[in-house]
Amino acid sequence: MHSDGHARRITLAASDQTFECGAGDVMLRSALRAGIAFPYECNVGACGNCKFELVEGEVDVVWPEAPGWSAKDRERRRYLGCQSAPRGDCTIRMRPSAHYAPKHAPRHVSGTLTARRAITHDIEEFCFDLSGDMPFEPGQYALLTLPGVAGPRAYSMSNIADAAGQPRELHFQIRRVPNGQGTGVLFDALEPGARIDIDGPYGMAYLRRDVKRDILCIAGGSGLAPMISIARGVAAEPALDDVKLHFLYGGRTPRDVCGRDMLEALPGWAERLHFQAAVSDVTPDSETVWDGHVGFVHTVAESLFGERLRDMEIYFAGPPAMGAAIQRALVALKVPFEQVHFDQFY
Ligand SMILES: Cc1cc2nc3c(=O)[nH]c(=O)nc-3n(C[C@H](O)[C@H](O)[C@H](O)COP(=O)(O)OP(=O)(O)OC[C@H]3O[C@@H](n4cnc5c(N)ncnc54)[C@H](O)[C@@H]3O)c2cc1C
Ligand code: FES
């Protein structure tokens, strides 16, 4: 990565648009900071949606083993925007798409860990106080730089901005991943008082406040946080007073199920905010008695709502396999693509 402290000027080929990439920053995030609608999804090298062609200049690849970057890409001078730091001024080819225009320009803030609390046996909430404002929409995520961990990790906020719209706190709900580097540091090394760099907001699966359709939020496993943020956003938005929100949480076993208490605390609970849960694995020795739905969330959503899904705004978050199954089910039901919002968790 360039280290002389000077910003690089990046030009978009076939247009006169340019932007600056600051020292230590990557192509994608500096473009978004400048308000350019650079297509992306994960920000962590996995999805491949942020590819661009390098027409002139040179870049350092931050994580050459990123799963979203292939040998063929390398041959064709195609790079991942989220993993490329320009060595000097560059010209790149990529097609901006209005869908990706940032609602809030991403920025770096310093976050001090103030509290941790257990949500389930493997999910904890981490609360950070911020050194400066980081406005965001319900459902968006931020990148956390963790001590000793290569590359930032993406985590979705579970809270919403306060009434003034200027959040000085971010809450994350994080699932411990066995042998995971980032979650290893978060769960085993980060104590209240620790300060980390937080960069955000990112993500397109945010609450559409101008759409008055009933909402279905589907959260699987670690996908709790952005769906809780969306439910909180709906409860706090007067323009959505007539909108009903159905929340469906999917876990593997009964002890994984969570989120209900967070919805119960919201105005409109049981009147227009509803919670249901499904587990995919109920074995006779399960520790908790289970009287909810059994099955994968996509089949449970299908049997609960059927063709009504076509008239709903649908948000979902969770592991890629769950996301793929939900997408297949929604396509089969002919749910319009514009009503479906997700950022996959890689
Ligand atoms: C948009 C988005 C939102 C997410 N929101 C949540 C959430 O709210 N809650 C939650 O629990 N999880 C969330 N995740 C998953 C989370 O980001 C991590 O993947 C997960 O916690 C495992 O991280 P780990 O470091 O413990 O595991 P690891 O297996 O060590 O790391 C996996 C992740 O780190 C990246 N990575 C690995 N090595 C490198 C490297 N050398 N350089 C750069 N990157 C590297 C991978 O692309 C992958 O994203 C989200 C993911 C995405 C993409
Ligand atoms: S690989 Fe860059 S945004 Fe997913």
Side-chain angles (χ1 to χ4, degrees):
M1 204 169 296
H2 59 265
S3 53
D4 60 12
H6 291 129
R8 312 311 193 195
R9 179 140 300 272
I10 314 299
T11 305
L12 297 187
S15 91
D16 51 8
Q17 211 168 8
T18 65
F19 63 92
E20 273 193 4
C21 184
D25 211 352
V26 292
M27 216 56 109
L28 167 68
R29 300 199 272 274
S30 54
L32 295 170
R33 292 185 219 290
I36 291 172
F38 199 133
Y40 73 105
E41 187 178 344
C42 72
N43 238 312
V44 291
C47 72
N49 287 357
C50 61
K51 274 179 208 162
F52 68 89
E53 185 190 331
L54 185 61
V55 178
E56 243 182 82
E58 283 182 277
V59 297
D60 286 320
V61 176
V62 184
W63 185 29
E65 296 81 26
W69 197 46
S70 66
K72 207 172 198 175
D73 290 329
R74 191 185 294 234
E75 277 165 30
R76 293 181 177 172
R77 285 177 69 78
R78 287 171 66 80
Y79 292 86
L80 296 177
C82 68
Q83 303 297 329
S84 303
R87 279 194 198 156
D89 294 350
C90 290
T91 300
I92 66 171
R93 184 169 289 120
M94 68 92 189
R95 197 173 299 157
S97 160
H99 175 68
Y100 297 93
K103 275 191 89 106
H104 306 284
R107 56 180 76 168
H108 286 276
V109 290
S110 161
T112 304
L113 183 65
T114 52
R116 287 173 58 166
R117 81 176 173 101
I119 295 178
T120 66
H121 64 103
D122 64 356
I123 299 181
E124 274 196 32
E125 185 165 77
F126 294 79
C127 302
F128 291 87
D129 258 357
L130 304 185
S131 58
D133 297 335
M134 197 195 90
F136 66 95
E137 296 297 303
Q140 288 196 294
Y141 69 91
L143 297 173
L144 276 54
T145 299
L146 298 163
V149 178
R153 295 295 186 268
Y155 294 106
S156 310
M157 282 67 85
S158 61
N159 61 320
I160 54 173
D162 63 16
Q166 300 295 321
R168 295 297 289 257
E169 259 181 48
L170 298 180
H171 299 178
F172 302 99
Q173 297 169 338
I174 300 177
R175 196 177 144 253
R176 182 196 272 272
V177 172
N179 304 318
Q181 280 183 56
T183 50
V185 168
L186 276 158
F187 280 76
D188 299 332
L190 224 57
E191 294 298 335
R195 277 164 79 104
I196 59 167
D197 179 83
I198 300 180
D199 178 13
Y202 295 101
M204 249 57 61
Y206 53 79
L207 174 64
R208 283 7 187 214
R209 297 172 197 271
D210 51 343
V211 178
K212 302 282 167 17
R213 285 188 202 93
D214 286 350
I215 291 174
L216 172 62
C217 287
I218 308 178
S222 58
L224 179 69
M227 298 300 107
I228 290 292
S229 177
I230 284 178
R232 288 175 171 158
V234 169
E237 175 59 68
L240 296 178
D241 269 357
D242 296 331
V243 165
K244 286 196 174 60
L245 181 139
H246 298 271
F247 196 105
L248 178 58
Y249 186 84
R252 203 170 62 76
T253 67
R255 70 180 189 144
D256 296 323
V257 172
C258 54
R260 186 188 176 101
D261 56 332
M262 299 171 210
L263 264 84
E264 277 177 352
L266 296 174
W269 164 249
E271 285 155 25
R272 62 186 194 100
L273 304 181
H274 307 276
F275 178 91
Q276 306 201 54
V279 299
S280 54
D281 182 6
V282 197
T283 49
D285 59 348
S286 288
E287 296 144 43
T288 320
V289 178
W290 183 245
D291 57 2
H293 302 285
V294 175
F296 290 111
V297 271
H298 64 285
T299 51
V300 174
E302 233 177 310
S303 63
L304 285 173
F305 301 102
E307 294 188 353
R308 274 202 289 153
L309 289 167
R310 287 183 203 151
D311 303 318
M312 298 174 102
E313 206 68 9
I314 300 167
Y315 298 86
F316 64 84
M322 180 199 96
I326 294 176
Q327 283 182 77
R328 277 195 301 274
L330 297 178
V331 167
L333 279 164
K334 299 193 168 56
V335 175
F337 190 67
E338 322 75 73
Q339 287 166 221
V340 182
H341 313 281
F342 61 96
D343 289 316
Q344 305 225 57
F345 285 17
Y346 291 92

